[in-house]
Amino acid sequence: MTEAIASSWTTGTVREVERFGETYVRLRIEVADRHDHVPGQHYVVRLRAPDGYTAQRSYSLASDPADPLIELMVECLPRGEVSGFLHDVVEAGDELELRGPIGRWFVWGGEVPSLCVAGGSGVVPFISMLRYARRMGTASHLTIVASAQTRERLPYIEELEEFGAFIALTRENHGDRVAAHIYPDELAELSKGIERAYVCGSAGFVSFVGRSLGEAGVPSDIVRVEQFGATG
Ligand SMILES: Cc1cc2nc3c(=O)[nH]c(=O)nc-3n(C[C@H](O)[C@H](O)[C@H](O)COP(=O)(O)OP(=O)(O)OC[C@H]3O[C@@H](n4cnc5c(N)ncnc54)[C@H](O)[C@@H]3O)c2cc1C
């Protein structure tokens, strides 16, 4: 697989739109002049109003690099300018301005035994890693921990369960696990034998997990962080 960073804008045609209640929308997009991506990379989506005003935001790829379409999963935020439009307005057949794939640091090429810890929509880049790992037969190198308030707030929960991801819901029980944030001793157990850790989610989440990984004995220099937040 080649590590591609595309710097110019291109056009994507939305082929499939699936809305999950008020919370998430999955967009599957055909991209003109597409470059292969590495799991963990993202695209920038630019919206343009008739008066020329533009707004752009980053969205991680959920798709396997071999997928003929790219897949984005967008959480609809209250009063969110771009996420609200993508959730409420976009339909199959629409065209979007896109730039990507972007990112060299938060990527996983399949070879390094890794722990991925996600909060809510932070799980999206790990879905690309999971799908890639399944196809390449390297799933044993990937341990995924995903946290959200409820099942409904965790996109791809069925796919994560099928993969054997560790799921920590904070406001409802998940199987035998009573509702709670991820405990440091859970992370300590899950991080045995890893050579790298990826953490993705809101500012509060990545800070909490960073501290917990430290308590679990994971050296900070093997931890890679991607933060989704107000500045994203
Ligand atoms: C590398 C990268 C990858 C990303 N991948 C994804 C992804 O796969 N899926 C996804 O849904 N988002 C992702 N994001 C976040 C995304 O880029 C936007 O920040 C998000 O969609 C909000 O944009 P908006 O225009 O809807 O909200 P804005 O209009 O910018 O903000 C609306 C309100 O929400 C607050 N806010 C903004 N962002 C967040 C947030 N993430 N969480 C909580 N409150 C927020 C703002 O302070 C404001 O009050 C990613 C961000 C980065 C940097």
Side-chain angles (χ1 to χ4, degrees), residues 8-75:
S8 54
W9 290 94
T10 186
T11 304
T13 306
V14 178
R15 295 294 178 205
E16 297 168 32
V17 179
E18 189 177 2
R19 296 190 167 85
F20 300 88
E22 297 296 305
T23 318
Y24 284 99
V25 62
R26 171 163 47 196
L27 303 175
R28 293 192 33 89
I29 304 170
E30 186 176 346
V31 179
D33 310 319
R34 183 177 139 195
H35 295 257
D36 282 349
H37 72 271
V38 184
Q41 287 188 305
H42 64 275
Y43 268 63
V44 177
V45 177
R46 181 164 69 186
L47 304 182
R48 185 181 296 274
D51 65 0
Y53 169 79
T54 60
Q56 62 184 55
R57 302 286 186 274
S58 302
Y59 293 100
S60 300
L61 289 154
S63 35
D64 181 89
D67 192 326
L69 302 180
I70 64 158
E71 180 172 319
L72 310 180
M73 179 68 85
V74 178
E75 180 177 10

Side-chain angles (χ1 to χ4, degrees), residues 3 12 18 61 69 76 78-79 82 97 102 130-131 134 143 170 174 186 192 217 219 223:
E3 188 174 322
E18 189 177 2
L61 289 154
L69 302 180
C76 182
R79 298 173 301 284
V82 174
E97 287 181 66
I102 296 169
L130 172 168
R131 292 172 174 178
R134 267 200 316 232
T143 301
T170 60
H174 181 259
E186 291 173 328
K192 282 183 182 157
V223 180

Side-chain angles (χ1 to χ4, degrees), residues 76-168:
C76 182
L77 296 174
R79 298 173 301 284
E81 188 178 15
V82 174
S83 65
F85 181 87
L86 296 174
H87 182 274
D88 298 344
V89 180
V90 166
E91 296 293 352
D94 288 354
E95 292 195 337
L96 294 172
E97 287 181 66
L98 300 171
R99 189 165 64 83
I102 296 169
R104 290 178 184 275
W105 175 246
F106 201 82
V107 295
W108 185 71
E111 64 293 334
V112 181
S114 298
L115 172 71
C116 303
V117 189
S121 59
V123 82
V124 178
F126 303 143
I127 297 299
S128 181
M129 296 180 189
L130 172 168
R131 292 172 174 178
Y132 176 67
R134 267 200 316 232
R135 178 168 59 84
M136 301 303 285
T138 56
S140 61
H141 280 178
L142 202 60
T143 301
I144 299 181
V145 179
S147 182
Q149 292 176 348
T150 61
R151 283 188 77 83
E152 216 173 57
R153 309 274 326 173
L154 185 58
Y156 302 106
I157 186 163
E158 287 88 7
E159 194 168 342
L160 289 161
E161 287 170 334
E162 196 187 318
F163 186 75
F166 182 89
I167 310 239

